[in-house]
Amino acid sequence: EAKESDFKILSKNHASYYTCPSTIGWNHFINDYKRAYINIGKMIDCGVKYGATGVLITDWGDFGQINHLSTSLPLFKFGAKKAWNPKVMPEVTLYHKAYVSMLEGIANERVVTWEHIMQWFYGRYHKNFKYGDITNYFQSLTKTILMESFDRLEVFEERVSEIAPFYSAPMSDDLVEVFCDIQGMKWMLQFVVVIKEERTDDKLAITIENWFMDYEKLWRKRYRESELYQIREVIIKLCSFLRTNI
């Protein structure tokens, strides 16, 4: 989180710098909007107070940057408004109010995230726990908790399907990405169920493979190849695990 003391040090040493708040989308399919609003607002306020040259809203992640850019766009707009007039905190829903409200609801479903999956992946296949040991957390999750989150995501999935036909591009493209992201969040919950039950699941492996084909198409439609290969390698390994439990 942003610390005012860091800004004081830069100002005291007469450093030229940009304040760089984040959309907080790293390692999640959907950004953490509540934390992002706070982070952007605080870092811009501190930048103004301590003489920052400008503002750069950042969007980044580890493990291949799983989230689509579309879910960060409302936060770019929020940051741009705040940077233009730092004295006024923008309305958090200034970007398609109903759409952003829906994204905030989806973002609350963080029972299992891409970060959790990657912690499990690195621990199991590389004996590398520098990103954290997820074992105890997964053990604490009951099947009820996992499937209740799954059910809530299905409701959001239906809502996206219902409203998508009423929007034209580029908003319709954004909704297609959100739909794909929700599906990704759903299969991660199912994947943890399989881990806990210590079984195989060829059907889920096929579901994930089909999902990733759609994910790749969406990625290449809007973005450069970048680290898509890293996500692909992980997906291949996860599907192999589902079929062999190895």
Side-chain angles (χ1 to χ4, degrees), residues 6-236:
D6 294 335
F7 289 86
K8 289 181 179 179
I9 293 172
L10 292 169
S11 178
K12 183 178 180 180
N13 289 278
H14 306 289
S16 177
Y17 69 97
Y18 275 69
T19 180
C20 301
S22 172
T23 62
I24 308 189
W26 57 77
N27 309 330
H28 300 283
F29 277 104
I30 305 289
N31 309 61
D32 189 337
Y33 290 90
K34 291 181 180 179
R35 287 180 60 207
Y37 295 139
I38 295 170
N39 181 262
I40 293 170
K42 182 176 181 179
M43 290 197 70
I44 292 177
D45 286 340
C46 286
V48 171
K49 184 176 180 179
Y50 295 102
T53 302
V55 180
L56 177 65
I57 309 297
T58 63
D59 184 71
W60 57 276
D62 305 311
F63 315 123
Q65 179 68 338
I66 194 73
N67 74 293
H68 289 107
L69 182 62
S70 58
T71 59
S72 296
L73 292 178
L75 295 164
F76 284 136
K77 186 170 184 180
F78 176 85
K81 286 276 190 178
K82 175 67 176 174
W84 182 257
N85 186 3
K87 294 181 180 180
V88 179
M89 181 64 75
E91 290 290 332
V92 296
T93 53
L94 49 77
Y95 186 103
H96 298 284
K97 183 175 181 179
Y99 171 68
V100 174
S101 178
M102 180 181 69
L103 291 181
E104 290 171 348
I106 300 169
N108 289 332
E109 296 301 325
R110 294 177 176 271
V111 176
V112 178
T113 68
W114 182 246
E115 182 176 21
H116 294 148
I117 296 296
M118 293 306 299
Q119 288 172 335
W120 176 87
F121 174 83
Y122 276 101
R124 182 177 180 89
Y125 294 111
H126 300 282
K127 306 302 179 185
N128 182 347
F129 297 97
K130 70 177 182 179
Y131 301 113
D133 187 347
I134 200 65
T135 305
N136 290 337
Y137 177 67
F138 277 178
Q139 288 178 348
S140 73
L141 295 175
T142 64
K143 188 173 182 179
T144 299
I145 291 173
L146 292 163
M147 298 319 296
E148 284 180 348
S149 180
F150 183 94
D151 292 342
R152 289 191 294 270
L153 286 169
E154 284 210 314
V155 173
F156 283 117
E157 188 177 45
E158 291 175 4
R159 188 179 304 174
V160 172
S161 297
E162 290 171 356
I163 66 175
F166 298 98
Y167 288 92
S168 57
M171 191 67 187
S172 59
D173 293 332
D174 292 348
L175 286 166
V176 171
E177 290 186 350
V178 172
F179 186 86
C180 182
D181 292 336
I182 294 172
Q183 290 182 319
M185 295 168 73
K186 286 170 58 181
W187 71 248
M188 289 194 303
L189 292 163
Q190 293 174 299
F191 186 83
V192 174
V193 171
V194 174
I195 291 174
K196 291 175 65 65
E197 295 180 352
E198 299 181 345
R199 58 179 173 83
T200 59
D201 194 328
D202 184 64
K203 184 178 179 181
L204 180 57
I206 294 172
T207 296
I208 295 173
E209 288 166 345
N210 289 335
W211 168 84
F212 188 67
M213 289 176 64
D214 293 335
Y215 182 89
E216 281 188 311
K217 290 177 183 177
L218 291 174
W219 182 298
R220 290 176 174 140
K221 182 177 180 179
R222 281 182 155 180
Y223 320 120
R224 296 182 181 181
E225 197 73 5
S226 188
E227 294 188 12
L228 179 60
Y229 76 93
Q230 185 176 353
I231 300 172
R232 183 187 308 110
E233 290 173 356
V234 173
I235 293 297
I236 291 171

